[in-house]
Amino acid sequence: MVGWAIAVHGGAGVDPNLPPQRQQEAMQLLTHCLNLGISALRSNASALDVVELVVRQLETDPLFNSGRGSALTAKGTVEMEASIMDGTKRRCGAVSGVSTVKNPISLARLVMEKSPHSYLAFSGAEEFARQQGVEVTENEYFITPDNVGMLKLAKEANTIMFDYRIPTAGQCAGVESPVKMNGLPISAYAPETVGCVVVDSEGRCAAATSTGGLMNKMSGRIGDSPLIGAGTYACELCGVSCTGEGEAIIRSTLAREVAAVMEYKGYRLQEAVDYVIKHRLDEGFAGLIAVSNKGEVAFGHNCNGMFRGCATQNGFIEVGIWD
C-alpha cells in the first residue's frame, strides 16, 4: 500500500495582468476539484475513476478552456478533444473533433473500455457517442460570450490565441508577438487545457487531459491533449498531464519523456519533471503535472505561471498560480 496523491491543472502560461477576481475564481475552482478528488480517494475510488471525475467537473465549468467554455475555431464552432490513460495495463482512450458531447473525457474512457480502438475523431467519435448514450447537446452550449469576443479580437489581429484571456496592452493588429508557435507569432500565451493525475492507495496511476484547443485555430487542428505520450501518459511508474504549446509538446512526446527518464535514468519524479521541462521543449512553452507510484506529486513549467493544485495522503495540499 502507498499513500495516494493527486494533482490538477488549468493550464500553463498565465497572463501576468490577469485580473485578481479571475485569479481568485480559478483558485476556487481548482480547490473545489481537488477536494472532490480527495473525497473520492478517501472513499477508495480508483485512480482512473478519480481523474475522470475531476476532469468532468472542469469540463462542466466554463472558467477554463475545456467542455463548456472551449476555445472557438476560425469558423466560430467548438471542436473538443480529450484523452485518458490507465497506467496499470497502459490502456488508453482518446477523442478529437467532438462538438456536441458534454464531457469529452467520459467519451474518451468509453473508447478505451467499449470499443476495439484507442482513438476516435470527428464524425466517428460523435457517432460512437450516440451509440453509447452519452449526454450530448447543441454546439451553442459550449460557446460563451467571452470566447465570442476573443475570437473577434483574434480575427482582427489575424492570429491564433491560446485562450480567452484578454491580451495585454500593445498586443494588437500589426504588432508582432514575441511568442511564436511553429515559427509563427501568436497574440497571447495563456492556459488552454485542463488535466488531472492520480495515484491511488494501491499504487495505480492514471492521467486525463481535456481541451478546446486554440482560439481561432483552423478547423480540424488536433493538439497534444488527445495524443497518448504527448499530452497524456500513464504507466506503472507514473501519470502525467501536459499543458501549453501543443505543437512543442507533440514534438517532444513530453508526457512519455517523464516516464522514460524515470525508467531509464532512475530519476525520482520531480527530477524527471525538471529534466524534461529543461531539456525536451526546445523553444516551446509548456507545463505538466505528475504523480508516481510511490505517492509523490510534482509539477513543472517554463512559462509564466501555471494554474495547479496538488495534495497527498499525508496532509500536504497546495493550490497556486505563480512560482
Side-chain angles (χ1 to χ4, degrees):
M1 299 288 286
V2 301
W4 54 256
I6 179 173
V8 59
H9 74 74
V14 183
D15 182 352
N17 297 311
L18 190 65
Q21 180 181 351
R22 183 59 69 92
Q23 294 184 39
Q24 187 63 31
E25 290 171 351
M27 296 273 282
Q28 289 174 349
L29 177 56
L30 290 170
T31 300
H32 170 70
C33 291
L34 198 59
N35 286 331
L36 193 67
I38 290 170
S39 178
L41 285 164
R42 286 173 175 167
S43 299
N44 297 316
S46 71
L48 188 65
D49 287 343
V50 176
V51 295
E52 181 187 10
L53 174 71
V54 170
V55 172
R56 280 180 62 93
Q57 183 63 41
L58 288 163
E59 289 174 337
T60 301
D61 193 296
L63 183 65
F64 292 127
N65 177 10
S66 66
R68 186 163 183 260
S70 284
L72 305 180
T73 69
K75 295 179 179 179
T77 60
V78 165
E79 293 178 358
M80 300 168 288
E81 48 197 23
S83 64
I84 191 168
M85 191 162 186
D86 179 2
T88 305
K89 295 183 179 179
R90 282 186 288 189
R91 300 182 304 150
C92 59
V95 294
S96 285
V98 294
S99 57
T100 67
V101 177
K102 277 197 171 183
N103 292 107
I105 196 63
S106 293
L107 183 61
R109 183 171 181 178
L110 286 169
V111 171
M112 177 179 73
E113 296 181 337
K114 301 294 184 181
S115 87
H117 308 300
S118 295
Y119 195 164
L120 294 175
F122 295 92
S123 61
E126 292 283 347
E127 181 181 355
F128 179 71
R130 283 158 177 76
Q131 291 172 354
Q132 295 298 314
V134 303
E135 188 174 8
V136 297
T137 187
E138 296 299 319
N139 196 249
E140 288 73 18
Y141 163 82
F142 304 97
I143 299 173
T144 64
D146 278 348
N147 285 351
V148 171
M150 192 49 54
L151 178 63
K152 182 175 183 293
L153 289 176
K155 286 184 175 294
E156 290 172 353
N158 191 30
T159 189
I160 294 170
M161 292 183 179
F162 271 74
D163 198 328
Y164 50 78
R165 312 294 181 203
I166 301 298
T168 56
Q171 290 179 320
C172 56
V175 178
E176 183 172 295
S177 168
V179 181
K180 297 178 182 289
M181 182 179 67
N182 276 357
L184 301 175
I186 59 172
S187 65
Y189 186 83
E192 87 300 345
T193 301
V194 303
C196 181
V197 292
V198 168
V199 57
D200 60 30
S201 58
E202 296 186 22
R204 299 172 297 192
C205 297
T209 312
S210 181
T211 189
L214 305 176
M215 184 65 72
N216 199 29
K217 65 183 179 181
M218 294 174 63
S219 181
R221 182 262 186 183
I222 294 173
D224 66 286
S225 297
L227 301 183
I228 299 302
T232 304
Y233 190 73
C235 60
E236 295 86 353
L237 287 175
C238 64
V240 184
S241 174
C242 300
T243 173
E245 185 186 328
E247 279 65 15
I249 294 170
I250 292 168
R251 292 194 302 270
S252 62
T253 59
L254 197 65
R256 167 59 187 160
E257 280 291 289
V258 175
V261 167
M262 293 179 71
E263 183 175 355
Y264 301 127
K265 285 182 173 286
Y267 284 8
R268 295 185 69 87
L269 183 67
Q270 188 65 62
E271 290 179 296
V273 168
D274 293 342
Y275 181 88
V276 301
I277 291 291
K278 182 177 181 180
H279 296 289
R280 292 294 183 264
L281 280 168
D282 301 321
E283 296 180 355
F285 293 93
L288 63 86
I289 53 173
V291 293
S292 79
N293 62 1
K294 292 180 169 55
E296 302 166 298
V297 64
F299 72 91
H301 56 91
N302 68 347
C303 45
N304 190 54
M306 180 167 73
F307 291 114
R308 82 275 177 178
C310 53
T312 61
Q313 189 169 340
N314 65 13
F316 170 78
I317 185 167
E318 176 185 273
V319 177
I321 302 175
W322 313 111
D323 295 337

